[in-house]
Amino acid sequence: MDARLNYLSSPIAGKAAKQFMAVGRTLKGSALPALTQELVALRVSQINGCAICIDMHTKEAGAAGETSVRLNLVAAWREATVFTEAERAALELAEEGTRVADAAGGVSDEVWANAAKHYDDEQLTTLVILVSFMNSVNRLNIITRQPCAGDYAPGMFG
């Protein structure tokens, strides 16, 4: 599969990508646990079918100490017993925030309240921005058919 656009050869894409990726770096420095961020990024990418991001976040989570058992169960987190209540709340918020068209009303009050039991306002802010950010990145990759899933190495993009 060939990419429809080469982001590296476009001046506008280069400028936008630099600022866009700065958002990702800012989120990594937040108080939301790094492994929770990787699990959420992975789940959003699974829902959207973004192979590059699935590859990236699986490998980044593994490099940060995540186990293969938990990584393999992210897609079925509701039935898995290996996630904490806080992680489950984050994954549920990520799913409803990603499936806004399917959920009609977006993120339910119940899901929001559950997440708020486990995360403070700053962490919730990070979680909301992360879900939105990952949905955007997934769409950029999917729309332009960016290849290279499987080629990612942890730390490759900073």
Side-chain angles (χ1 to χ4, degrees):
M1 173 171 69
D2 293 326
R4 291 176 170 159
L5 291 175
N6 180 348
Y7 289 132
L8 300 177
S9 68
S10 166
I12 191 69
K15 288 178 186 175
K18 183 177 180 180
Q19 294 181 14
F20 203 70
M21 297 317 283
V23 172
R25 285 189 298 279
T26 298
L27 296 175
K28 287 202 179 291
S30 75
L32 186 66
L35 288 179
T36 300
Q37 290 188 46
E38 294 299 340
L39 294 173
V40 165
L42 176 57
R43 186 64 190 127
V44 170
S45 299
Q46 288 172 337
I47 292 167
N48 289 327
C50 184
I52 296 168
C53 292
I54 293 169
D55 183 35
M56 173 190 289
H57 294 290
T58 300
K59 289 175 180 172
E60 288 290 348
E66 189 56 83
T67 68
S68 60
V69 170
R70 284 169 41 98
L71 288 173
N72 291 332
L73 289 172
V74 170
W77 66 266
R78 290 177 193 277
E79 293 81 24
T81 60
V82 297
F83 300 104
T84 67
E85 288 303 313
E87 290 166 338
R88 297 171 70 74
L91 289 165
E92 189 171 35
L93 181 68
E95 284 191 3
E96 284 197 6
T98 297
R99 294 184 166 138
V100 291
D102 300 339
V107 175
S108 69
D109 290 340
E110 179 182 71
V111 167
W112 183 264
N114 189 34
K117 286 191 311 191
H118 299 283
Y119 300 102
D120 63 27
D121 284 351
E122 195 65 20
Q123 291 170 317
L124 282 170
T125 299
T126 301
L127 190 53
V128 168
I129 295 170
L130 175 61
V131 170
S132 301
F133 176 75
M134 285 310 305
N135 275 286
S136 296
V137 171
N138 290 167
R139 281 156 178 75
L140 287 168
N141 288 329
I142 292 167
I143 292 167
T144 61
R145 293 187 178 161
Q146 295 299 310
C148 74
D151 295 337
Y152 183 80
M156 193 168 153
F157 295 127

